[in-house]
Amino acid sequence: MSYNIAIASGKGGTGKTTVSVSLFQTLRKELGGDVVLVDCDVEEPNDALFFANAKLLHNNEIKQRIPIIHTDKCTFCRKCVEYCEFNAVVVMPSVEFAEVNASLCHSCGACLVACQFDAITETEQLIGQVNHYDTGLIEGKLTVGSAMQTMLVKELKKHIPANKLLVLLDAPPGTSCQVVETVSDADYVILVTEPTPFGLHDLKLMVQLLREIGKPFGVVVNKSGLGNEEVYQFLDDDGIDLLGNIPINKLFASNYAKGDLLNNIPLEIASVVNQFTHKIMLNLGL
Amino acid sequence: MSKTVITSSGNTLTSKFDKRFGRAEFFCLLDEATGQTSFIANEFKDANHGAGTKAAEFMVEQQVNKIISGDFGPKAKELLEKFDVQMVILQEELTIQAIVDRISKK
Amino acid sequence: MARRISPRKVVAPPSFIGFKPYGVITENTDSVELLYEEYEALKLADYDIMNHQEASKLMGISRPTFARIYESARRKIALALVEAREIKTSYGNAWMEKNWFVCNDCLARFTIPKNITARTCPVCHSFNIALLNV
């Protein structure tokens, strides 16, 4: 059984990718191929950008099953409408119209069970793909136009090899379904925040969420030196573990923007990353 | 013969016009020929998903010709367009009575 | 009662409100009203170089009706050119795929489905309506 660590933030742009990629790189030195990084920000996966030489090994297409109602067999009895929890089936007997709205459909298959007239069959619709890289990076990439982020994250997790010691899950920003899906089977969550009012506001939402689903977590404050001290006050008052404090550094930011996050890391940052990596490993008993 | 629906926040003519379509509290059914009105509670207003789609489905089934609301979502719009239901968007704060009066004033 | 005018499908309305002659000595104040469907007929026949059969199909009307609209468009434009009159576009009997309108009197925004022939505001019945998102 591998140990799963999710990296999430609430607010976007606080440094999930920075922390995930740095942590991954540091851990790789210790654990080699026994650690994988999974980019779960399927709407905009960007972890791969920081591994310029990474080769794509293979990819899997992820498809969603969408029911199709054949109006020639349909009796417009509306039983499938009653079965559908998501109001995705529209049946209007008066105009002999029956259709499944793909953007509401969760592919649960209940309407197929409901229909006694064989009027419903399923087709497959591409929602995204899972890319496997030779550096131990796996990413999910949503098809443009698809709204099935959560389903893709769920499918993405099925493609993680089971024999790894450690799995890092880089979560999407926010506190929405796809974030919950990402952290739902994490053993530990690293929350990345920045010391600004927005960073703190969204951190609080994330803390609430993790407490509700009962996940242990710690916080990394990125861009330390920016904004104010309120976030530290909050962590202190709530007894939340401060894992590390990454100072704001222009060189580091400009390296990031060039996609050159893993080289020429400023010393002060490298030491912080090392520190919290070891802190986490210690917490895990590795 | 011409059936008009006005989305309403309550079930009387003095109620305020509800600018939401799928999540409106009530639908005021107006017969433009006779001026008669009746109110139906919107059973989908608290649906987790697809309230607009369900409301649009209901409108087509009820053979409504015209709907007056504050806005329509993309899915509702698509269905209403397909079945030739006229959509009307008003952005004023009005009572149902005021809208009814405006329509009946020829 | 006269037969109802069937709606004429117009793919895109003209991208201008009117045309004005310049360098005229005696200005003629009467403008020529060019209907959307006339603009569309002229465009299909003389700009997209379609034959009347194809064009009429596209507009959802019969070939003779298309010919009449096309003829009317040409005569109006000839009139405007010869008499140096302004051309103003007007909605006419068009029916558009993306048909959202605004009432200039009560500011209601609305659609006109193809089964409705009246070109008036569905709330205050004003004739003063204009196409949105042109």
Side-chain angles (χ1 to χ4, degrees):
Chain A
M1 237 343 238
S2 50
Y3 195 88
N4 299 329
I5 300 178
I7 296 97
S9 75
K11 184 185 177 296
T14 56
K16 285 176 303 297
T17 301
T18 305
V19 169
S20 305
V21 171
S22 311
L23 192 62
F24 176 60
Q25 186 75 348
T26 318
L27 285 166
R28 214 151 55 125
K29 283 177 198 151
E30 315 247 352
L31 304 171
D34 243 354
V35 53
V36 283
L37 173 61
V38 187
D39 197 343
C40 299
D41 187 1
V42 296
E43 285 179 56
E44 255 169 331
N46 65 348
D47 289 356
L49 295 176
F50 300 101
F51 302 94
N53 301 320
K55 269 200 227 65
L56 185 67
L57 294 176
H58 61 281
N59 64 357
N60 313 86
E61 288 192 332
I62 306 297
K63 287 173 179 152
Q64 177 191 12
R65 300 169 78 79
I66 297 282
I68 301 278
I69 306 177
H70 302 279
T71 44
D72 51 328
K73 284 186 181 169
C74 180
T75 60
F76 307 98
C77 70
R78 292 178 60 88
K79 195 170 177 192
C80 52
V81 176
E82 282 164 38
Y83 270 51
C84 184
E85 183 70 13
F86 306 101
N87 288 336
V89 190
V90 177
V91 176
M92 296 185 279
S94 67
V95 286
E96 302 205 335
F97 178 87
E99 206 173 82
V100 175
N101 194 322
S103 61
L104 288 168
C105 178
H106 284 53
S107 307
C108 68
C111 52
L112 283 114
V113 178
C115 189
Q116 291 156 352
F117 306 97
D118 287 330
I120 307 181
T121 58
E122 281 183 317
T123 58
E124 287 186 328
Q125 197 170 316
L126 188 72
I127 60 165
Q129 56 188 45
V130 173
N131 298 329
H132 301 258
Y133 292 92
D134 62 349
T135 43
L137 171 69
I138 305 169
E139 71 174 8
K141 202 167 203 164
L142 192 71
T143 301
V144 174
S146 173
M148 291 293 132
Q149 295 91 332
T150 311
M151 183 178 283
L152 182 56
V153 172
K154 199 175 256 177
E155 291 299 316
L156 169 63
K157 291 200 301 190
K158 290 183 192 161
H159 284 84
I160 302 170
N163 55 358
K164 301 290 175 184
L165 190 59
L166 200 57
V167 176
L168 301 178
L169 303 152
D170 186 5
T175 45
S176 58
C177 296
Q178 62 257 43
V179 176
V180 176
E181 184 59 47
T182 306
V183 302
S184 64
D185 45 35
D187 299 289
Y188 187 79
V189 182
I190 300 172
L191 293 181
V192 186
T193 190
E194 57 181 34
T196 62
F198 294 126
L200 178 60
H201 176 271
D202 290 1
L203 173 70
K204 284 179 181 168
L205 293 178
M206 207 56 218
V207 166
Q208 254 177 31
L209 168 72
L210 293 181
R211 285 194 173 140
E212 191 161 329
I213 60 177
K215 293 284 169 195
F217 61 93
V219 171
V220 171
V221 178
N222 188 22
K223 306 182 215 173
S224 164
L226 195 77
N228 57 36
E229 300 293 306
E230 274 176 47
V231 66
Y232 301 104
Q233 192 61 46
F234 169 71
L235 296 180
D236 215 35
D237 291 348
D238 269 47
I240 296 167
D241 206 5
L242 177 63
L243 298 168
N245 219 357
I246 304 175
I248 185 154
N249 183 308
K250 211 164 178 178
L251 176 69
F252 191 51
S254 79
N255 284 351
Y256 178 102
K258 284 184 219 149
D260 201 14
L261 182 68
L262 298 171
N263 299 309
N264 308 317
I265 303 171
L267 204 64
E268 50 171 4
I269 289 174
S271 71
V272 175
V273 172
N274 267 324
Q275 252 171 42
F276 72 67
T277 308
H278 286 110
K279 205 163 178 178
I280 291 159
M281 288 179 73
L282 213 68
N283 280 357
L284 307 180
L286 290 171
Chain B
M1 177 204 117
S2 172
K3 247 188 191 176
T4 297
V5 159
I6 307 167
T7 49
S8 169
S9 57
N11 59 357
T12 62
L13 284 168
T14 53
S15 303
K16 275 210 323 225
F17 166 56
D18 197 327
K19 288 184 188 163
R20 299 164 303 173
F21 171 59
R23 299 190 187 277
E25 297 287 328
F26 288 89
F27 296 125
C28 170
L29 270 161
L30 166 71
D31 182 335
E32 288 196 22
T34 63
Q36 267 182 342
T37 55
S38 57
F39 288 83
I40 308 167
N42 176 10
E43 58 171 304
F44 307 108
K45 73 182 173 79
D46 294 321
N48 280 331
H49 311 268
T53 312
K54 285 285 129 179
E57 182 187 70
F58 175 78
M59 297 298 157
V60 175
E61 279 301 287
Q62 294 290 311
Q63 290 165 351
V64 170
N65 309 96
K66 183 196 291 185
I67 306 169
I68 302 177
S69 189
D71 205 358
F72 300 88
K75 292 178 207 119
K77 232 178 224 173
E78 199 188 311
L79 274 176
L80 296 173
E81 217 155 68
K82 192 177 230 155
F83 292 101
D84 296 330
V85 182
Q86 184 169 39
M87 290 173 269
V88 183
I89 295 176
L90 281 180
Q91 283 300 333
E92 286 173 84
E93 303 284 338
L94 293 164
T95 60
I96 300 301
Q97 185 70 59
I99 297 175
V100 172
D101 289 348
R102 204 178 274 183
I103 295 172
S104 52
K105 201 166 69 189
K106 296 270 169 178
Chain C
M1 192 183 155
R3 216 168 64 86
R4 289 198 311 190
I5 294 176
S6 62
R8 289 86 158 90
K9 197 169 164 208
V10 172
V11 176
S15 57
F16 55 88
I17 291 169
F19 257 100
K20 214 173 177 169
Y22 74 100
V24 268
I25 300 149
T26 47
E27 206 164 310
N28 195 330
T29 45
D30 283 345
S31 60
V32 172
E33 190 184 47
L34 185 70
L35 306 180
Y36 279 12
E37 64 257 38
E38 291 167 343
Y39 161 85
E40 178 80 351
L42 195 72
K43 174 183 170 282
L44 294 179
D46 295 338
Y47 181 82
D48 298 330
I49 322 287
M50 278 186 188
N51 65 43
H52 288 195
Q53 192 64 51
E54 293 167 349
S56 62
K57 221 179 233 170
L58 211 75
M59 287 182 71
I61 49 182
S62 69
R63 200 200 48 77
T65 303
F66 178 86
R68 254 183 296 112
I69 296 171
Y70 173 67
E71 194 61 30
S72 165
R74 279 178 41 183
R75 289 190 179 175
K76 282 183 180 178
I77 286 172
L79 180 74
L81 285 177
V82 173
E83 298 186 9
R85 293 194 196 200
E86 262 182 52
I87 299 171
K88 283 181 179 161
T89 57
S90 157
Y91 189 73
N93 303 293
W95 173 69
M96 261 167 280
E97 202 74 51
K98 295 253 175 285
N99 52 346
W100 278 90
F101 299 84
V102 62
C103 168
N104 288 325
D105 288 331
C106 76
L107 300 178
R109 283 175 288 155
F110 54 92
T111 58
I112 301 185
K114 54 184 177 302
N115 56 350
I116 293 182
T117 49
R119 294 291 177 260
T120 55
C121 169
V123 182
C124 73
H125 313 289
S126 163
F127 282 95
N128 188 8
I129 65 169
L131 194 71
L132 269 176
N133 328 318
V134 181

